[in-house]
Amino acid sequence: MDSPTDRDLSSLTLVMLGAGSMGGAFAAAARAAGVPGANILLINSTPASSQRAAEKLGARAGSLEDLARADVLVLGVKPYQVASALPGVREHLTDRTLVISLITGLTLAALAEELPGIPLLTRAMPNTPMAVGEGVTALMHADTVPDEQRELARQLLAASGLVEEVREDQVHAVIGAAGSNTAFVLYVMEAMIDEAVRQGLTRDLATRMVEQTVRGAATLVQSTGEHPALARAAVSSPGGTTAEGVAALDRAGVRAGIAAAMDAAAAKSRAMTGA
């Protein structure tokens, strides 16, 4: 059911500066939320690149001049492009535009320095499953962003998966819990598939079984609301195969390894932002 504060997005103009993998996924989510493709304007490094991205995403190629009529600007450029890309943005931007930054490591304070006088600044940190509507996006807002604009950011991303609002000082923990964690889950899946092949299954069969098992486990706890520890205990018979396997995981230090990976990702995130 729609939120009472959901707005009609059919007349909203969305401009995207940088339409790579995450920017493209954002555009797809916005279209699913009700923004017409004709109202989504993409600006890449060259007009030809903008046109290619627009054709791929069912949007239109745009230019910096379009920023003057943008209701929302999404910044999807790479961190190393900030110094060259953002100075040209400010002169065209109005203070009524909600700016949503996807730029890794660029804090709200740093973004405010790049776009002086722009009050509606938001950071969005999505993970890659956003591209298939199963992502996790953390939203962080400047204090000057009113509730209506915060809700607009959520609405634009609702079709991308789970959207949660967090404090900016929690962003490093989000990296471990959702951002980099996608790769950690894929790493575990890879190891499971390889071992299933070693045990005698074909790689295609092992892949299908592991993929569905991981999907099923997540769906199970989501649908029941049961804590993963309780769901695991329910399938661990005393002296059975599952209990034996879990004991082997504990002996190998898998739990500690996962915690170390998440902590290392969070620590790297802090180092990248000088926190």
Side-chain angles (χ1 to χ4, degrees):
M1 180 180 295
D2 290 343
S3 164
T5 53
D6 276 356
R7 58 183 279 188
D8 179 5
L9 302 182
S10 60
S11 61
L12 182 137
T13 298
L14 172 66
V15 177
M16 303 200 61
L17 183 65
S21 57
M22 283 301 179
F26 193 109
R31 289 198 62 182
V35 182
N39 291 10
I40 300 176
L41 305 173
L42 308 182
I43 307 171
N44 275 348
S45 56
T46 66
S49 176
S50 299
Q51 186 60 41
R52 286 194 301 271
E55 291 173 358
K56 179 180 179 181
L57 296 170
R60 291 198 295 142
S63 65
L64 290 178
E65 286 71 24
D66 291 312
L67 293 174
R69 58 192 182 93
D71 296 299
V72 178
L73 167 63
V74 177
L75 300 176
V77 298
K78 302 296 184 185
Y80 68 85
Q81 296 173 313
V82 168
S84 60
L86 293 196
V89 167
R90 178 63 188 93
E91 64 182 282
H92 299 284
L93 203 58
T94 70
D95 61 6
R96 66 175 178 80
T97 301
L98 173 64
V99 179
I100 302 177
S101 172
L102 306 180
I103 304 171
T104 302
L106 187 70
T107 65
L108 288 170
L111 181 60
E113 290 181 4
E114 296 288 346
L115 301 175
I118 300 299
L120 305 180
L121 302 177
T122 288
R123 289 180 68 186
M125 177 175 290
N127 61 11
T128 52
M130 172 189 186
V132 293
E134 294 289 351
V136 175
T137 300
L139 290 177
M140 296 150 279
H141 305 285
D143 292 339
T144 48
V145 180
D147 289 345
E148 181 182 2
Q149 297 295 319
R150 294 178 185 222
E151 178 60 22
L152 174 59
R154 182 210 62 79
Q155 188 179 348
L156 285 168
L157 286 160
S160 71
L162 179 68
V163 182
E164 296 284 357
E165 189 170 322
V166 302
R167 302 189 314 271
E168 193 173 26
D169 63 3
Q170 295 175 307
V171 67
H172 310 297
V174 172
I175 287 283
S180 297
N181 209 18
T182 300
F184 305 154
V185 173
L186 294 172
Y187 181 92
V188 171
M189 289 175 65
E190 178 188 358
M192 290 176 170
I193 291 167
D194 286 347
E195 178 58 20
V197 170
R198 192 185 75 83
Q199 294 282 349
L201 297 183
T202 66
R203 185 162 294 276
D204 285 347
L205 179 58
T207 299
R208 291 195 300 272
M209 286 185 167
V210 169
E211 286 175 348
Q212 183 57 38
T213 298
V214 172
R215 179 187 180 92
T219 302
L220 178 66
V221 294
Q222 285 181 327
S223 62
T224 64
E226 194 171 38
H227 191 281
L230 295 177
R232 175 174 62 81
V235 297
S236 300
S237 301
T241 57
T242 303
E244 192 66 27
V246 170
L249 290 173
D250 288 342
R251 289 194 297 272
V254 171
R255 184 183 293 266
I258 290 171
M262 294 173 67
D263 184 61
K268 182 66 173 180
S269 175
R270 291 187 185 93
M272 290 173 66
T273 57

